[in-house]
Amino acid sequence: MQKVIEFRKTRFLGGVDIAALNDRIQELNQDGWKVINAVPLAGFYGQVHGYTLLIETDEL
């Protein structure tokens, strides 16, 4: 089974909180999910403000 999720946690002064993103990916891995792809979500001026994650698991 595959799912698409959004990650939009930002730092205080802007930009994506990469440490929190890594923690979220680790949580997903511990729950049996595997991250297949991570695509940045960019605003009008090209600033990244989140990521879309494609995750999958073997379970149904």
Side-chain angles (χ1 to χ4, degrees):
M1 178 170 61
Q2 293 182 333
K3 286 186 177 182
V4 175
I5 60 171
E6 276 189 17
F7 180 84
R8 289 184 175 253
K9 188 169 189 177
T10 58
R11 296 179 299 173
F12 179 69
L13 296 176
V16 177
D17 188 354
I18 298 298
L21 176 60
N22 287 330
D23 291 341
R24 179 68 175 138
I25 290 172
Q26 185 176 5
E27 288 173 12
L28 290 167
N29 288 334
Q30 290 174 353
D31 291 340
W33 292 95
K34 183 170 70 169
V35 177
I36 302 300
N37 198 1
V39 179
L41 300 171
F44 185 72
Y45 293 107
Q47 182 180 6
V48 175
H49 56 84
Y51 282 88
T52 300
L53 304 174
L54 172 62
I55 58 175
E56 77 174 3
T57 186
D58 294 333
E59 299 176 12
L60 290 178

